[in-house]
Amino acid sequence: MSTGLDALTKKNIDTWLTGNYDEETKAKIQQLVDEGKETELSDSFYKSLEFGTGGMRGEMGVGSNRMNKYTVGAATQGFSNYLKQSLPGKEIKVAIAHDSRNNSPFFARICADIFSANGIKVYLFSALRPTPELSFTIRHLGCDAGLVITASHNPREYNGYKAYWNDGSQVVAPHDKNIVTEVNNITSVDDINFNGNEALITFIGEEVDKEYLKTIQHNSINPDVIARQKDLKIVYSSIHGTGITLVPQALALLGFENVNVVEAQAEPNGDFPTVVYPNPEETEAMTLAVNLAKDIDADLVIATDPDADRVGAAVKNPHGEWVLLNGNQMASLIIYYLLGAWEKAGKLTGKEFVAKTIVTTEIIAKMCASKGVKCYDTLTGFKYIAAVIRELEGKEQFIGGGEESYGYLIGDAVRDKDAVASCAMIAELTAYAKDNGKSLFDFLTEMYQENNFYYEGLISLTKKGKAGAEEIQQMMANLRANLPTSVAGSEPVTVLDYKNLTSKDLKTGEITAIPEGLGMESSNVIQLILADGSKVSARPSGTEPKIKFYVSVNAPLANPADFDETLAALKAKVSSIQEDLGLK
């Protein structure tokens, strides 16, 4: 073996070549060794693929730092061990789903075999399904946990593993860290029991689909509007993912009869042949859908990512141009529609609430306040929104919620972001706008006229390696120690530090506590609130070598004709804030 590899990498390679791994795996490793593929060997074996607090994600291939039968197996054996420790003497039940990625069905079956080998009852979807349906299934079937094999919207080389608890939410404290500990205790392939027990594996499918779709139908507020606008021209793309299994069904169930599927992207395919990244946040991934919309003069474009938990949308503006709506805009529109509809129906009693993350647009909080509805802020990640729903269950009623990264939830039947239900609701609110002689873009403009035009910019700085990680920490330390006295001509008035959960009034020096719980715990995030209502949030990424700055600005919009001019001014203000803070 080449001497260019470090000792730990060599040791890991040797373990895989001599241990109880299958011959095909060993042959692939030996081929890399024989061909002197040091870079690939190093990347594949220099460490073990980390199982974090929500699961794991990585490139597929042989090796300790890759997604494969053995790393997925170790994760599942550790998860099994924790479930058995936590629930002694109980018949434990787990639900498993998978997306359209290469090897996803294989990994899902491996997980089913390992759980069943450990005496755990498994409900395994017989074919690919959206992640939100997995969340629903856990509660519907009374499972103790669940998992979905997916890498969400990552590039095609990746796959992943998301772990869920009995409320249908991704695992949170203390279970998340406890599962990590058990997974890390699996130190040998011999610790993994791959010998599945067929008697403990039940295949599920259409019968669960029907129950899940009923909850989406239940979310609908104005079925009479849909009946009048049943010919609303919708373009939908599943971007080769799981959405094709249920989004068209959900739209049909609500009564939409003119849904045009982007056929070139309709077939599930883990190679994602028509896109660079299978992510509806990317303009390129939406191109085919927008082109079809232009051809047929559609009213709405919607597209879901591979595991159908995020949705992107596009609509025509007054100039006849198709524009993509960002996550803040769509989250706001959904809440704007829901609040108005609940108020009109006389359903607002003072016990309703909305939840959003701290980096999501503040227009949502403003709209909630105007209707007497509580708006809870949580840390970034839908598991924190799910935690609020769990804590308030039976006391307050959840209307909906969302985050800036294209994830939304309507109602509480699911406890994760749900692109299937969101597609249905986006179609409904578009139909509502059309029923009132408006486009979805007009509806957006109306919301801004009533509540101010809110615009959000994201500045993401990549800092790779050990030096980059240290630089990010230093940037956060500097910001805490040297708060600016003026940003884009406005004075900071409040600083929120989520690391020590405090809010400081910069005028009086008064410090108050940010209550822990309800989706809130210590996190390395700082927010500056400026006198003019602008907000700047600094947050190191937990999964990438990046530090992200979220900037929110707003201004009145007196007239729809001023939309473009106001947007340009807000964008200029974000640039000014970026420059003043030296974010390059």
Side-chain angles (χ1 to χ4, degrees):
M1 195 179 297
S2 170
T3 56
L5 301 171
D6 64 49
L8 179 59
T9 302
K10 289 180 181 178
K11 180 184 175 185
N12 286 339
I13 292 170
D14 185 61
T15 297
W16 281 58
L17 284 173
T18 58
N20 286 325
Y21 297 84
D22 64 81
E23 292 306 315
E24 184 182 357
T25 294
K26 291 181 179 181
K28 286 178 180 175
I29 298 168
Q30 191 61 54
Q31 184 179 353
L32 292 174
V33 172
D34 293 343
E35 293 175 0
K37 298 285 183 66
E38 288 191 8
T39 301
E40 192 170 343
L41 283 166
S42 180
D43 288 348
S44 301
F45 286 97
Y46 83 99
K47 65 173 185 176
S48 293
L49 187 62
E50 184 179 353
F51 189 94
T53 53
M56 63 184 183
R57 191 176 297 183
E59 291 186 41
M60 291 177 278
V62 296
S64 58
N65 190 39
R66 293 285 185 260
M67 283 284 296
N68 53 58
K69 171 182 177 179
Y70 301 103
T71 54
V72 167
T76 308
Q77 184 64 55
F79 199 176
S80 298
N81 292 350
Y82 179 66
L83 285 166
K84 290 165 73 177
Q85 286 174 22
S86 304
L87 304 165
K90 185 180 188 300
E91 182 196 36
I92 302 170
K93 297 188 286 186
V94 171
I96 301 175
H98 68 81
D99 70 6
S100 62
R101 288 177 179 271
N102 296 328
N103 293 314
S104 284
F106 171 68
F107 290 150
R109 181 64 205 220
I110 291 290
C111 295
D113 285 344
I114 293 169
F115 278 127
S116 65
N118 284 273
I120 294 171
K121 173 74 176 170
V122 176
Y123 293 97
L124 175 64
F125 275 100
S126 57
L128 76 169
R129 287 297 191 281
T131 288
E133 187 176 9
L134 182 276
S135 172
F136 168 81
T137 302
I138 292 168
R139 298 175 71 241
H140 177 64
L141 295 179
C143 294
D144 302 287
L147 68 88
V148 59
I149 300 296
T150 179
S152 190
H153 54 278
N154 273 50
R156 61 180 63 88
E157 297 83 11
Y158 286 76
N159 215 321
Y161 183 115
K162 289 165 70 173
Y164 290 76
W165 205 245
N166 61 7
D167 65 335
S169 165
Q170 286 191 61
V171 289
V172 294
H175 307 300
D176 51 3
K177 293 185 174 71
N178 292 343
I179 293 169
V180 171
T181 298
E182 287 303 320
V183 173
N184 290 339
N185 285 340
I186 307 299
T187 57
S188 166
V189 66
D190 299 322
D191 295 334
I192 307 167
N193 189 347
F194 288 103
N195 300 312
N197 180 352
E198 292 284 345
L200 290 178
I201 300 174
T202 299
F203 288 96
I204 56 175
E206 288 185 9
E207 68 282 7
V208 180
D209 296 344
K210 289 175 183 174
E211 296 304 315
Y212 170 59
L213 287 168
K214 280 181 188 176
T215 70
I216 293 174
Q217 189 173 28
H218 179 73
N219 289 338
S220 179
I221 299 166
N222 288 306
D224 55 323
V225 168
I226 296 173
R228 288 193 295 272
Q229 300 296 334
K230 63 183 181 180
D231 289 327
L232 186 81
K233 213 174 285 185
I234 301 168
V235 169
Y236 170 66
S237 174
S238 58
I239 315 181
H240 305 290
T242 61
I244 197 66
T245 62
L246 287 177
V247 173
Q249 281 191 56
L251 293 171
L253 187 64
L254 263 65
F256 291 105
E257 297 179 0
N258 196 352
V259 178
N260 301 269
V261 173
V262 179
E263 292 299 335
Q265 296 179 322
E267 187 176 346
N269 188 330
D271 290 327
F272 308 113
T274 65
V275 295
V276 178
Y277 298 107
N279 183 357
E281 297 178 51
E282 301 282 344
T283 302
E284 179 266 339
M286 299 287 285
T287 301
L288 290 180
V290 171
N291 286 345
L292 177 56
K294 290 175 182 175
D295 290 343
I296 66 172
D297 191 26
D299 297 295
L300 173 69
V301 170
I302 42 179
T304 51
D305 68 343
D307 69 325
D309 63 355
R310 298 173 196 243
V311 55
V315 66
K316 201 186 294 183
N317 70 13
H319 309 299
E321 303 159 337
W322 280 91
V323 292
L324 303 183
L325 299 181
N326 64 41
N328 281 306
Q329 290 173 317
M330 187 48 72
S332 305
L333 276 170
I334 290 171
I335 299 303
Y336 179 59
Y337 174 68
L338 290 172
L339 290 173
W342 278 57
E343 182 180 48
K344 190 175 179 181
K347 292 169 63 178
L348 295 183
T349 66
K351 290 191 174 182
E352 293 73 34
F353 73 96
V354 163
K356 71 176 188 68
T357 67
I358 56 176
V359 297
T360 300
T361 178
E362 287 302 314
I363 194 174
I364 292 176
K366 185 173 183 180
M367 292 189 296
C368 287
S370 73
K371 304 288 187 188
V373 171
K374 292 178 186 174
C375 181
Y376 292 98
D377 268 335
T378 76
L379 294 178
T380 304
F382 238 85
K383 65 182 180 180
Y384 294 109
I385 291 177
V388 176
I389 299 171
R390 181 173 62 250
E391 289 296 316
L392 296 177
E393 199 159 13
K395 305 170 198 169
E396 298 179 23
Q397 187 169 5
F398 178 67
I399 294 176
E403 59 183 6
E404 45 74 41
S405 55
Y406 294 65
Y408 325 110
L409 179 60
I410 299 98
D412 62 3
V414 169
R415 302 299 169 89
D416 203 351
K417 48 188 177 285
D418 186 345
V420 184
S422 297
C423 282
M425 187 54 66
I426 293 165
E428 178 171 330
L429 66 91
T430 305
Y432 178 83
K434 191 167 185 179
D435 204 51
N436 286 277
K438 300 171 185 175
S439 70
L440 186 57
F441 195 93
D442 295 331
F443 204 46
L444 179 74
T445 304
E446 176 189 289
M447 179 183 72
Y448 287 151
Q449 282 183 271
E450 291 180 16
N451 300 282
N452 272 16
F453 193 144
Y454 278 73
Y455 175 76
E456 287 76 29
L458 173 62
I459 300 143
S460 185
L461 306 178
T462 300
K463 307 285 182 181
K464 291 185 177 180
K466 182 173 179 285
E470 291 170 353
E471 185 179 354
I472 288 172
Q473 292 307 313
Q474 191 59 50
M475 289 175 76
M476 293 297 288
N478 289 344
L479 186 56
R480 286 187 169 93
N482 305 292
L483 292 174
T485 55
S486 178
V487 181
S490 186
E491 180 186 4
V493 292
T494 307
V495 59
L496 300 159
D497 192 335
Y498 293 91
K499 192 171 186 178
N500 53 27
L501 292 173
T502 59
S503 173
K504 182 177 182 180
D505 185 318
L506 296 176
K507 287 186 178 294
T508 66
E510 183 183 0
I511 296 175
T512 55
I514 298 171
E516 194 165 5
L518 282 179
M520 192 61 63
E521 61 188 20
S522 175
S523 183
N524 189 17
V525 182
I526 304 171
Q527 289 186 317
L528 284 178
I529 311 298
L530 308 184
D532 66 0
S534 300
K535 181 177 76 170
V536 181
S537 309
R539 172 181 167 263
S541 171
T543 57
E544 301 172 287
K546 293 179 179 179
I547 181 168
K548 297 180 178 181
F549 292 85
Y550 304 80
V551 180
S552 177
V553 295
N554 69 89
L557 181 66
N559 192 304
D562 299 331
F563 188 98
D564 293 343
E565 185 181 343
T566 306
L567 178 59
L570 291 172
K571 285 183 175 181
K573 187 166 187 177
V574 169
S575 297
S576 180
I577 290 172
Q578 180 179 3
E579 189 172 328
D580 277 12
L581 293 177
L583 304 179
K584 298 175 182 176

